[in-house]
Amino acid sequence: MKRTHRINIFFFIFASVLAVLYAFPFAMVLLNSVKDKREVRNEPLAWPTEWKWDNFTEAIDRMDYWQALGNSLIITVLSVSAIIITSSMLAYYLARSKTKFSAATFLILVASMIVPFQALMIPFVGLFGERGLGLPGNQFTIAFFYVGFGVALSTFLYHGFISNIPYELDEAAGMDGASAFRTYRSIIFPMLGPVTATVAIINALWIWNDFLLPSVVLLENDQKTLPLRTFVFYGNYTSDYGLAMAGLLISILPIVIFYFAMQKRIIAGISAGAVK
């Protein structure tokens, strides 16, 4: 057996093991979403003795699913759209401006990515809460916060992609009388499709599944997102794990569909970046 063939077999087995490990939690959620809470607690790995499909309808009712889904959609769409616009424009400026100010700004953005939100949560709440600026806890406020926390990584991704776009395109557009913004809007941004898809899916996954920031900002029940609404199945003395698994499954389903729809664009973006 050739050495290359043995290496391929090893990597295939290794990748298969990783795939099983990553798929196991989702399989557990799927399996236990059609059980009652006693069966989930006693036999979480066993096949259901009775398929409780009404878990999904009950979970939808108790979660106020459609209202929470609308809140999650509004917040995710607003946040991701604003992140794409602001970070791509900032990255274009930083990539084309060869000044010390732009270099320092880019370094500060990259350095800010290593600071976790948990380290900022207490001063964050004190600054923007009722005792600070008193900003209202609604979808627009939390979308504004998400832009602040997400623009650094997104700018970093855009900056690497824009740096590989020939500067001659900007010079040609300038000779035709196009301003810097017109060059960005008409020439540069249309070329950023693959990396824009990557930025969109990375931020959408994070924002859609986030629990910590919405729990701090969104205090009214009619404003809560899907991750917050799944918490209704957990009480101080008892928890309905069957309904919780069903609620979790229908909560992640929209973002999973979005991920698979954008998957080809992400792979194209990675390939394009490698070729450049």
Side-chain angles (χ1 to χ4, degrees), residues 5-276:
H5 186 59
R6 291 197 299 266
I7 293 175
N8 291 336
I9 293 176
F10 170 77
F11 279 112
F12 175 77
I13 296 173
F14 181 71
S16 300
V17 172
L18 284 181
V20 171
L21 291 176
Y22 279 110
F24 180 75
F26 182 78
M28 288 293 297
V29 171
L30 186 62
L31 181 66
N32 290 294
S33 64
V34 289
K35 298 179 182 179
D36 59 28
K37 61 181 180 180
R38 184 176 303 175
E39 192 174 0
V40 174
R41 185 174 60 251
N42 296 333
E43 298 179 347
L45 297 176
W47 203 255
T49 56
E50 180 183 357
W51 297 77
K52 294 184 66 63
W53 298 106
D54 57 340
N55 279 357
F56 293 100
T57 56
E58 186 173 351
I60 289 174
D61 292 336
R62 290 184 56 181
M63 290 174 61
D64 292 330
Y65 177 78
W66 300 112
Q67 184 181 62
L69 176 63
N71 293 334
S72 291
L73 283 174
I74 292 173
I75 293 171
T76 303
V77 171
L78 284 177
S79 304
V80 173
S81 300
I83 288 173
I84 289 174
I85 294 172
T86 56
S87 60
S88 61
M89 293 178 66
L90 177 59
Y92 175 64
Y93 168 76
L94 296 178
R96 293 300 192 243
S97 176
K98 305 298 182 180
T99 63
K100 293 182 179 180
F101 173 77
S102 61
T105 303
F106 183 70
L107 289 177
I108 292 172
L109 283 172
V110 173
S112 68
M113 292 191 295
I114 67 175
V115 181
F117 172 72
Q118 290 79 359
L120 304 173
M121 184 172 64
I122 295 177
F124 174 81
V125 174
L127 178 62
F128 294 103
E130 294 181 356
R131 296 182 180 180
L133 297 179
L135 295 180
N138 55 35
Q139 292 92 338
F140 298 98
T141 300
I142 196 171
F144 173 74
F145 294 154
Y146 277 132
V147 173
F149 287 114
V151 74
L153 176 60
S154 302
T155 302
F156 175 76
L157 295 174
Y158 274 120
H159 186 276
F161 199 91
I162 294 174
S163 297
N164 290 314
I165 297 177
Y167 186 69
E168 287 74 13
L169 293 176
D170 301 66
E171 293 178 339
M175 293 177 63
D176 290 336
S179 63
F181 178 74
R182 178 66 182 273
T183 302
Y184 157 80
R185 186 189 65 183
S186 303
I187 298 176
I188 302 300
F189 188 76
M191 300 177 65
L192 303 178
V195 69
T196 297
T198 304
V199 169
I201 190 62
I202 289 175
N203 287 286
L205 285 171
W206 156 57
I207 293 170
W208 186 275
N209 294 320
D210 187 33
F211 181 89
L212 187 56
L213 185 57
S215 67
V216 174
V217 178
L218 303 176
L219 303 179
E220 301 294 333
N221 286 331
D222 59 348
Q223 296 176 347
K224 291 185 176 180
T225 58
L226 285 173
L228 294 180
R229 295 305 301 172
T230 57
F231 203 68
V232 300
F233 305 115
Y234 300 95
N236 293 328
Y237 304 103
T238 182
S239 300
D240 197 326
Y241 295 109
L243 290 179
M245 294 298 105
L248 180 60
L249 185 62
I250 60 179
S251 297
I252 64 176
L253 188 60
I255 197 64
V256 170
I257 295 174
F258 176 71
Y259 172 79
F260 283 111
M262 302 290 287
Q263 188 178 21
K264 291 183 179 179
R265 298 296 302 273
I266 295 175
I267 295 174
I270 296 173
S271 301
V275 171
K276 289 178 181 296

